[in-house]
Coordinates of all heavy atoms in Angstrom, one line a residue:
Y1 N 5.3 -0.4 5.9 CA 5.6 -1.7 6.5 C 6.4 -1.3 7.8 O 7.3 -0.5 7.8 CB 6.4 -2.5 5.6 CG 6.9 -3.8 6.2 CD1 6.1 -4.9 6.4 CD2 8.2 -3.9 6.6 CE1 6.5 -6.0 7.0 CE2 8.7 -5.0 7.2 CZ 7.8 -6.1 7.4 OH 8.3 -7.3 8.0
A2 N 6.2 -2.1 8.9 CA 6.9 -1.9 10.1 C 7.2 -3.2 10.7 O 6.5 -4.2 10.6 CB 6.1 -1.1 11.1
S3 N 8.4 -3.3 11.3 CA 8.8 -4.5 12.0 C 9.4 -4.1 13.3 O 10.0 -3.0 13.4 CB 9.7 -5.4 11.2 OG 10.9 -4.7 10.9
I4 N 9.3 -5.0 14.3 CA 9.9 -4.7 15.6 C 10.7 -5.9 16.0 O 10.3 -7.1 15.8 CB 8.9 -4.3 16.6 CG1 9.5 -3.8 17.9 CG2 7.9 -5.4 16.9 CD1 8.5 -3.0 18.8
Q5 N 11.9 -5.6 16.6 CA 12.7 -6.7 17.1 C 13.2 -6.2 18.4 O 14.1 -5.2 18.4 CB 13.8 -7.1 16.1 CG 14.6 -8.3 16.5 CD 15.4 -8.8 15.3 OE1 15.6 -8.1 14.3 NE2 15.9 -10.0 15.4
G6 N 12.8 -6.8 19.5 CA 13.1 -6.3 20.8 C 12.5 -4.9 20.9 O 11.3 -4.7 20.8
Q7 N 13.3 -3.9 21.2 CA 12.8 -2.5 21.3 C 13.1 -1.7 20.0 O 12.8 -0.5 20.0 CB 13.4 -1.8 22.5 CG 12.8 -2.2 23.8 CD 11.4 -1.8 23.9 OE1 11.1 -0.6 23.7 NE2 10.5 -2.7 24.2
E8 N 13.7 -2.4 19.0 CA 14.0 -1.6 17.8 C 12.9 -1.7 16.7 O 12.5 -2.8 16.4 CB 15.3 -2.2 17.2 CG 15.7 -1.4 16.0 CD 17.0 -1.9 15.4 OE1 17.0 -2.8 14.6 OE2 18.1 -1.3 15.8
L9 N 12.4 -0.6 16.3 CA 11.3 -0.5 15.4 C 11.9 0.0 14.0 O 12.7 0.9 14.0 CB 10.3 0.5 15.9 CG 9.1 0.8 14.9 CD1 8.3 -0.5 14.7 CD2 8.3 1.9 15.5
T10 N 11.5 -0.7 13.0 CA 11.9 -0.3 11.6 C 10.7 0.0 10.8 O 9.7 -0.8 10.8 CB 12.7 -1.3 10.9 OG1 13.9 -1.7 11.7 CG2 13.1 -1.0 9.5
I11 N 10.6 1.2 10.3 CA 9.4 1.6 9.4 C 9.9 1.8 8.0 O 10.9 2.6 7.9 CB 8.8 2.9 10.0 CG1 8.2 2.6 11.4 CG2 7.6 3.3 9.0 CD1 7.6 3.9 12.0
R12 N 9.3 1.2 7.1 CA 9.7 1.4 5.6 C 8.4 1.8 4.9 O 7.3 1.2 5.2 CB 10.2 0.0 5.1 CG 11.5 -0.4 5.6 CD 12.0 -1.7 4.9 NE 13.2 -2.1 5.5 CZ 13.3 -3.1 6.4 NH1 12.2 -3.7 6.9 NH2 14.4 -3.5 6.9
A13 N 8.5 2.7 4.0 CA 7.3 3.2 3.2 C 7.8 3.5 1.8 O 8.9 3.8 1.6 CB 6.7 4.4 3.9
L14 N 6.8 3.5 1.0 CA 7.0 4.0 -0.4 C 5.8 4.6 -1.0 O 4.7 4.2 -0.5 CB 7.6 2.8 -1.3 CG 6.6 1.7 -1.7 CD1 5.7 2.1 -2.9 CD2 7.5 0.5 -2.1
V15 N 6.0 5.5 -1.9 CA 4.9 6.1 -2.7 C 5.4 5.9 -4.1 O 6.5 6.3 -4.5 CB 4.7 7.5 -2.3 CG1 3.7 8.2 -3.2 CG2 4.3 7.7 -0.9
A16 N 4.5 5.4 -5.0 CA 4.8 5.3 -6.4 C 3.7 5.7 -7.3 O 2.5 5.7 -6.9 CB 5.1 3.8 -6.7
T17 N 4.1 6.1 -8.5 CA 3.0 6.4 -9.5 C 2.4 5.1 -9.9 O 3.0 4.0 -9.8 CB 3.7 7.0 -10.8 OG1 4.7 6.2 -11.2 CG2 4.2 8.4 -10.5
P18 N 1.1 5.1 -10.4 CA 0.5 3.8 -10.8 C 1.2 3.1 -11.8 O 1.2 1.8 -11.8 CB -0.9 4.4 -11.3 CG -1.1 5.6 -10.6 CD 0.3 6.3 -10.5
D19 N 2.0 3.7 -12.7 CA 2.7 2.9 -13.7 C 4.1 2.4 -13.1 O 4.8 1.7 -13.8 CB 2.9 3.7 -14.9 CG 3.8 5.0 -14.7 OD1 4.3 5.2 -13.6 OD2 3.9 5.9 -15.6
G20 N 4.4 2.8 -11.9 CA 5.7 2.3 -11.4 C 6.9 3.0 -11.8 O 8.0 2.6 -11.4
K21 N 6.8 4.0 -12.7 CA 8.0 4.7 -13.2 C 8.7 5.5 -12.2 O 9.9 5.7 -12.3 CB 7.6 5.5 -14.4 CG 7.2 4.7 -15.6 CD 6.9 5.6 -16.8 CE 6.6 4.7 -18.0 NZ 6.3 5.5 -19.2
T22 N 7.9 6.1 -11.2 CA 8.6 6.9 -10.2 C 8.2 6.2 -8.8 O 7.0 6.0 -8.6 CB 8.0 8.3 -10.2 OG1 8.3 8.9 -11.5 CG2 8.7 9.2 -9.2
I23 N 9.2 6.0 -8.0 CA 9.1 5.4 -6.7 C 9.9 6.1 -5.7 O 11.1 6.3 -6.0 CB 9.4 3.9 -6.7 CG1 8.6 3.1 -7.7 CG2 9.3 3.3 -5.3 CD1 9.1 1.6 -7.9
Y24 N 9.3 6.5 -4.6 CA 10.1 7.1 -3.6 C 10.0 6.2 -2.4 O 8.9 5.7 -2.0 CB 9.4 8.5 -3.2 CG 9.4 9.5 -4.3 CD1 8.2 9.9 -4.9 CD2 10.6 10.0 -4.8 CE1 8.2 10.9 -5.9 CE2 10.6 10.9 -5.9 CZ 9.4 11.3 -6.4 OH 9.5 12.2 -7.4
R25 N 11.1 6.0 -1.7 CA 11.2 5.1 -0.6 C 11.8 5.9 0.6 O 12.7 6.7 0.4 CB 12.1 3.9 -0.9 CG 11.6 3.0 -1.9 CD 12.7 1.9 -2.2 NE 12.6 0.8 -3.1 CZ 11.7 0.6 -4.1 NH1 10.8 1.3 -4.3 NH2 11.8 -0.5 -4.9
A26 N 11.4 5.4 1.8 CA 12.0 6.0 3.0 C 12.0 5.0 4.1 O 11.1 4.1 4.1 CB 11.1 7.3 3.5
Q27 N 12.9 5.2 5.0 CA 13.0 4.2 6.1 C 13.5 4.9 7.4 O 14.3 5.9 7.2 CB 14.0 3.1 5.7 CG 14.3 2.1 6.9 CD 15.2 1.0 6.4 OE1 15.0 0.4 5.4 NE2 16.2 0.7 7.3
A28 N 13.1 4.5 8.5 CA 13.6 5.0 9.8 C 13.7 3.9 10.8 O 12.8 3.0 10.8 CB 12.7 6.1 10.3
V29 N 14.7 3.9 11.6 CA 14.9 2.9 12.6 C 15.1 3.6 13.9 O 15.8 4.6 14.0 CB 16.2 2.0 12.3 CG1 16.4 1.0 13.4 CG2 16.0 1.4 10.9
G30 N 14.4 3.1 15.0 CA 14.6 3.7 16.3 C 13.9 2.8 17.4 O 13.6 1.7 17.1
H31 N 13.8 3.3 18.6 CA 13.2 2.6 19.6 C 11.7 2.6 19.5 O 11.1 3.6 19.1 CB 13.6 3.3 21.0 CG 15.0 3.2 21.3 ND1 15.9 2.5 20.6 CD2 15.7 3.7 22.3 CE1 17.1 2.5 21.1 NE2 17.0 3.3 22.2
A32 N 11.1 1.5 19.8 CA 9.6 1.3 19.7 C 8.8 2.5 20.3 O 7.8 2.9 19.7 CB 9.2 -0.1 20.2
P33 N 9.2 2.9 21.5 CA 8.4 4.0 22.0 C 8.4 5.3 21.2 O 7.6 6.2 21.4 CB 9.0 4.3 23.4 CG 9.7 3.0 23.8 CD 10.2 2.4 22.5
E34 N 9.3 5.4 20.2 CA 9.4 6.6 19.4 C 8.6 6.4 18.1 O 8.9 7.1 17.1 CB 10.8 6.9 19.0 CG 11.7 7.1 20.2 CD 13.2 7.1 19.9 OE1 13.6 6.8 18.7 OE2 14.0 7.5 20.8
A35 N 7.7 5.5 18.0 CA 7.0 5.1 16.8 C 6.4 6.3 16.1 O 6.5 6.4 14.8 CB 6.0 4.0 17.1
F36 N 5.8 7.1 16.8 CA 5.1 8.3 16.2 C 6.1 9.2 15.5 O 5.9 9.6 14.4 CB 4.3 9.1 17.3 CG 3.5 10.2 16.7 CD1 2.3 9.9 16.0 CD2 3.9 11.5 16.8 CE1 1.5 10.9 15.4 CE2 3.2 12.5 16.2 CZ 2.0 12.3 15.5
S37 N 7.2 9.6 16.2 CA 8.1 10.4 15.6 C 8.8 9.8 14.5 O 9.2 10.4 13.5 CB 9.2 10.9 16.6 OG 9.9 9.9 17.2
L38 N 9.1 8.4 14.5 CA 9.7 7.7 13.4 C 8.8 7.8 12.1 O 9.2 8.0 11.1 CB 9.9 6.3 13.8 CG 11.0 6.0 14.8 CD1 11.1 4.5 15.2 CD2 12.4 6.4 14.2
G39 N 7.5 7.6 12.4 CA 6.5 7.7 11.3 C 6.5 9.1 10.7 O 6.4 9.3 9.5
L40 N 6.6 10.1 11.5 CA 6.7 11.5 11.0 C 7.9 11.7 10.1 O 7.9 12.4 9.1 CB 6.6 12.5 12.1 CG 5.3 12.6 12.9 CD1 5.5 13.6 14.0 CD2 4.2 13.1 11.9
R41 N 9.0 11.2 10.6 CA 10.3 11.3 9.9 C 10.2 10.6 8.5 O 10.6 11.2 7.5 CB 11.4 10.6 10.7 CG 12.8 10.9 10.1 CD 13.9 10.3 10.9 NE 13.7 10.2 12.3 CZ 14.3 9.4 13.1 NH1 15.1 8.4 12.6 NH2 14.1 9.4 14.4
V42 N 9.6 9.4 8.5 CA 9.4 8.8 7.2 C 8.5 9.6 6.3 O 8.8 9.7 5.1 CB 8.9 7.3 7.4 CG1 8.4 6.7 6.1 CG2 9.9 6.4 8.1
A43 N 7.4 10.1 6.8 CA 6.5 10.9 6.0 C 7.2 12.1 5.4 O 7.1 12.5 4.3 CB 5.3 11.2 6.8
Q44 N 8.0 12.8 6.3 CA 8.7 14.0 5.9 C 9.7 13.7 4.8 O 9.8 14.4 3.8 CB 9.4 14.7 7.1 CG 10.2 15.9 6.7 CD 9.3 17.0 6.3 OE1 8.1 17.1 6.6 NE2 9.7 17.9 5.3
D45 N 10.4 12.6 5.0 CA 11.4 12.2 4.0 C 10.7 11.9 2.6 O 11.2 12.4 1.6 CB 12.1 10.9 4.4 CG 13.2 10.5 3.5 OD1 13.5 11.1 2.5 OD2 13.9 9.5 3.8
L46 N 9.6 11.3 2.6 CA 8.8 11.1 1.4 C 8.4 12.4 0.8 O 8.5 12.5 -0.5 CB 7.6 10.1 1.6 CG 8.0 8.7 1.9 CD1 6.7 7.9 2.4 CD2 8.5 8.0 0.7
R47 N 7.9 13.3 1.6 CA 7.4 14.6 1.0 C 8.6 15.3 0.4 O 8.5 15.9 -0.7 CB 6.9 15.5 2.2 CG 5.4 15.1 2.5 CD 4.8 16.1 3.3 NE 5.4 16.3 4.7 CZ 5.2 15.7 5.8 NH1 4.2 14.8 5.8 NH2 5.8 15.9 6.9
E48 N 9.8 15.3 1.1 CA 11.0 16.0 0.6 C 11.4 15.4 -0.8 O 12.0 16.1 -1.6 CB 12.1 15.9 1.6 CG 11.8 16.8 2.8 CD 12.8 16.7 3.9 OE1 13.8 15.9 3.7 OE2 12.7 17.4 4.9
Q49 N 11.2 14.1 -1.0 CA 11.6 13.5 -2.3 C 10.5 13.8 -3.4 O 10.9 13.6 -4.6 CB 11.5 11.9 -2.1 CG 12.7 11.5 -1.2 CD 12.6 10.0 -1.0 OE1 12.6 9.2 -2.0 NE2 12.5 9.5 0.2
G50 N 9.4 14.2 -3.0 CA 8.4 14.6 -4.0 C 7.1 13.7 -4.0 O 6.3 13.8 -4.9
A51 N 7.0 13.0 -3.0 CA 5.8 12.0 -2.9 C 4.5 12.8 -2.9 O 3.4 12.3 -3.3 CB 5.9 11.1 -1.8
A52 N 4.5 14.0 -2.3 CA 3.2 14.7 -2.2 C 2.6 15.0 -3.5 O 1.4 15.0 -3.7 CB 3.5 16.1 -1.5
V53 N 3.4 15.2 -4.6 CA 2.9 15.4 -6.0 C 2.1 14.2 -6.4 O 1.0 14.3 -7.0 CB 4.0 15.8 -6.9 CG1 3.5 15.9 -8.3 CG2 4.7 17.1 -6.5
I54 N 2.7 13.0 -6.2 CA 2.1 11.8 -6.6 C 0.8 11.6 -5.8 O -0.3 11.3 -6.5 CB 3.0 10.6 -6.4 CG1 4.2 10.6 -7.3 CG2 2.2 9.2 -6.6 CD1 5.3 9.6 -7.0
L55 N 0.8 11.8 -4.6 CA -0.4 11.6 -3.7 C -1.5 12.6 -4.1 O -2.7 12.2 -4.2 CB -0.1 11.7 -2.3 CG 0.8 10.6 -1.7 CD1 1.2 10.9 -0.3 CD2 0.2 9.3 -1.8
A56 N -1.2 13.8 -4.4 CA -2.1 14.8 -4.8 C -2.8 14.4 -6.2 O -4.0 14.6 -6.3 CB -1.5 16.2 -4.9
D57 N -1.9 13.9 -7.1 CA -2.4 13.5 -8.4 C -3.4 12.3 -8.2 O -4.4 12.3 -8.8 CB -1.3 13.2 -9.3 CG -1.7 12.9 -10.7 OD1 -2.5 13.7 -11.2 OD2 -1.3 11.9 -11.3
L58 N -3.0 11.4 -7.4 CA -3.9 10.2 -7.1 C -5.2 10.6 -6.5 O -6.3 10.2 -6.9 CB -3.2 9.2 -6.3 CG -2.0 8.5 -6.8 CD1 -1.3 7.6 -5.8 CD2 -2.5 7.6 -8.0
A59 N -5.2 11.6 -5.6 CA -6.4 12.1 -4.9 C -7.3 12.8 -6.0 O -8.5 12.6 -6.0 CB -6.1 13.0 -3.8
L60 N -6.7 13.6 -6.8 CA -7.4 14.4 -7.8 C -8.1 13.4 -8.8 O -9.3 13.5 -9.1 CB -6.5 15.3 -8.6 CG -7.1 16.1 -9.7 CD1 -8.2 17.1 -9.1 CD2 -6.1 17.0 -10.4
N61 N -7.4 12.4 -9.2 CA -7.9 11.4 -10.1 C -9.0 10.6 -9.5 O -10.0 10.2 -10.1 CB -6.8 10.4 -10.6 CG -6.0 11.1 -11.7 OD1 -6.4 12.0 -12.4 ND2 -4.7 10.7 -11.8
S62 N -8.9 10.2 -8.2 CA -9.9 9.5 -7.4 C -11.2 10.3 -7.4 O -12.3 9.8 -7.5 CB -9.3 9.2 -6.1 OG -10.3 8.6 -5.3
E63 N -11.0 11.6 -7.0 CA -12.2 12.5 -6.9 C -12.9 12.7 -8.2 O -14.1 12.8 -8.3 CB -11.8 13.8 -6.4 CG -11.4 13.8 -4.9 CD -10.8 15.1 -4.5 OE1 -10.8 16.1 -5.3 OE2 -10.3 15.2 -3.3
S64 N -12.2 12.7 -9.4 CA -12.8 12.9 -10.6 C -13.3 11.6 -11.3 O -13.9 11.6 -12.4 CB -11.9 13.5 -11.6 OG -10.8 12.7 -11.9
G65 N -13.0 10.5 -10.6 CA -13.6 9.2 -11.1 C -12.6 8.5 -12.0 O -13.0 7.5 -12.6
H66 N -11.4 9.0 -12.2 CA -10.4 8.3 -13.0 C -9.5 7.6 -12.2 O -9.2 7.9 -11.1 CB -9.6 9.4 -13.9 CG -10.5 10.2 -14.7 ND1 -10.9 11.4 -14.4 CD2 -11.1 10.0 -15.9 CE1 -11.7 11.9 -15.4 NE2 -11.8 11.0 -16.3
S67 N -8.9 6.5 -12.8 CA -7.9 5.8 -12.1 C -6.5 5.8 -12.8 O -6.4 6.3 -13.8 CB -8.3 4.4 -11.8 OG -8.8 3.8 -13.0

């Protein structure tokens, strides 16, 4: 999710397990022209928290036809 007010951009994101037991959240705030780097910062924060494991599991289950 992203919102902009004037030149200030706020990006919020989360990654969760399907059952909702594990949720990782990240947020970055900065100037709108820095949108790309803010997005990278949020993605890196999520990866550092462990979100990559959830995403990999979801991708694996998707490829095998399980949900």
Side-chain angles (χ1 to χ4, degrees):
Y1 173 79
S3 62
I4 190 164
Q5 191 164 11
Q7 283 294 308
E8 184 176 90
L9 175 65
T10 302
I11 299 175
R12 294 181 183 97
L14 69 81
V15 175
T17 55
D19 63 9
K21 289 183 179 179
T22 303
I23 302 173
Y24 299 115
R25 294 177 180 10
Q27 175 177 313
V29 178
H31 294 352
E34 301 169 353
F36 185 77
S37 64
L38 291 172
L40 289 176
R41 189 180 325 156
V42 168
Q44 181 64 31
D45 187 358
L46 289 169
R47 279 193 300 271
E48 289 172 0
Q49 293 179 57
V53 173
I54 294 173
L55 295 173
D57 188 48
L58 291 171
L60 182 63
N61 286 334
S62 174
E63 289 174 4
S64 66
H66 299 100
S67 45

